[in-house]
Amino acid sequence: MAIKAADVKKLRDATGAGMMDAKKALTEAEGDFDKAVDLLRVAGAAKAAKRSDREASNGLVAASGHALVHIGSETDFVAKNAEFMATADQIAQAVENAEADGKDAAGAVELPDGQTVSETLAALAVKIGEKIELADAAYFGGTAEVYLHRRSQDLPPQVGVMVEYTGDDVATVHGVCLQIAAMSPRWLTRGEVPAEVIEHERTVARDIALEEGKPEKIIDRIVDGRLNGFYKENCLLEQAAVSDDKKTVEKILTEAGVTVTRFVRFSAGD
């Protein structure tokens, strides 16, 4: 029987399935809308599409060598699923082997079975029944230290840090990894902070000072002071060291003869 475009659209809107999947289901169901919905559910097309509006705000981080990946899921129940964890480890190894830096590059990496990372996670999402995605990935070609943190002993690691550096003091670099995991710096130095972020912080600081009734002649000085506070909170090298709060991270690294060139921090739920 002929399938009307309006019926295909109605089925797509109801299930979130793709156009071809919706048309195929209607054809197989001989135009029976409810039966077509059931066919899509059985095939997984509707279920997977509906998950696209949900948040993969849980999950885990996994590492292999100089590769770090963040795989998102909706719940911690899936995060500790054995197949989910094994897939994450396999993906981390494949990303390292391919030296794929970044989410897009990592998503295109092929696993041993010939499927890409993105295809593998899509298939796993249909199987498990929950939104699953590659949230982020990184690969560092230089000397790197990786730290994985468990928020709970019954869950896999959900915070991952990777630091690229030069120098020989691995213990100090490991301490910096702990610092990054705990203090969540966004940039290495203030020179990396985007201009639009700085301008925004200046505007906010000025508005606060004016709201507080500060004299106009000292507003600029107050703004500069608050901006410096922003740098000390968000730039790794300017943060007070967790191991010795009388020193900055930069001071600790200098004393150890270590230079950090870049870092990443992935966190399930962030």
Side-chain angles (χ1 to χ4, degrees), residues 2-13 19 22-23 26:
I3 302 298
K4 296 179 181 179
D7 292 333
V8 174
K9 182 180 185 304
K10 179 182 176 183
L11 184 59
R12 290 185 65 195
D13 291 343
M19 181 181 69
K23 184 175 181 181
L26 278 170

Side-chain angles (χ1 to χ4, degrees), residues 187-190 193 231-239:
W187 302 280
L188 179 61
T189 68
R190 65 173 62 191
V193 183
Y231 290 138
K232 289 177 181 179
E233 180 179 349
N234 292 283
C235 298
L236 174 63
L237 297 186
E238 298 194 32
Q239 286 186 339

Side-chain angles (χ1 to χ4, degrees), residues 18-260:
M19 181 181 69
M20 295 307 296
D21 287 330
K23 184 175 181 181
K24 180 180 177 182
L26 278 170
T27 301
E28 188 175 344
E30 298 181 340
D32 187 315
F33 185 86
D34 292 335
K35 185 178 179 181
V37 170
D38 288 340
L39 287 171
L40 286 171
R41 291 181 65 192
V42 170
K47 181 172 59 178
K50 282 189 173 182
R51 282 194 301 275
S52 66
D53 292 331
R54 306 201 315 241
E55 293 292 328
S57 57
N58 213 289
L60 58 74
V61 291
S64 177
H66 292 186
L68 184 67
V69 299
H70 173 195
I71 312 297
S73 66
E74 290 183 50
T75 64
D76 60 10
F77 180 78
V78 167
K80 58 186 178 183
N81 173 281
E83 184 176 5
F84 182 76
M85 291 189 291
T87 300
D89 288 337
Q90 185 182 46
I91 288 172
Q93 185 174 356
V95 169
E96 182 193 17
N97 292 342
E99 300 182 359
D101 187 21
K103 177 180 175 179
D104 291 342
V109 170
E110 284 193 4
L111 298 178
D113 64 0
Q115 284 193 313
T116 66
V117 167
S118 294
E119 291 168 344
T120 297
L121 292 177
L124 187 60
V126 170
K127 181 177 181 180
I128 290 178
E130 188 170 297
K131 184 175 183 179
I132 295 172
E133 64 183 8
L134 177 64
D136 217 334
Y139 173 83
F140 288 171
T143 304
E145 176 76 3
V146 174
Y147 169 67
L148 302 180
H149 175 73
R150 294 176 182 266
R151 291 174 173 148
S152 174
Q153 288 305 308
D154 67 337
L155 293 173
Q158 293 190 301
V159 177
V161 173
M162 184 163 62
V163 173
E164 187 180 66
Y165 68 98
T166 59
D168 300 318
D169 194 331
V170 179
T172 294
V173 178
H174 182 72
V176 171
C177 287
L178 299 181
Q179 169 96 23
I180 295 168
M183 304 307 293
S184 307
R186 298 167 63 187
W187 302 280
L188 179 61
T189 68
R190 65 173 62 191
E192 294 181 356
V193 183
E196 60 269 22
V197 173
I198 296 173
E199 185 58 33
H200 174 74
E201 291 301 320
R202 281 192 179 279
T203 300
V204 171
R206 175 173 290 277
D207 290 346
I208 291 173
L210 291 171
E211 183 68 23
E212 292 173 343
K214 303 296 184 183
E216 181 67 33
K217 63 182 180 181
I218 65 170
I219 292 291
D220 287 344
R221 190 161 69 249
I222 292 173
V223 169
D224 287 342
R226 286 177 173 163
L227 191 58
N228 280 328
F230 173 81
Y231 290 138
K232 289 177 181 179
E233 180 179 349
N234 292 283
C235 298
L236 174 63
L237 297 186
E238 298 194 32
Q239 286 186 339
V242 171
S243 59
D244 183 351
D245 61 10
K246 293 181 172 58
K247 298 178 180 179
T248 64
V249 172
E250 184 174 30
K251 177 73 170 174
I252 294 287
L253 289 169
T254 299
E255 291 176 349
V258 172
T259 299
V260 170

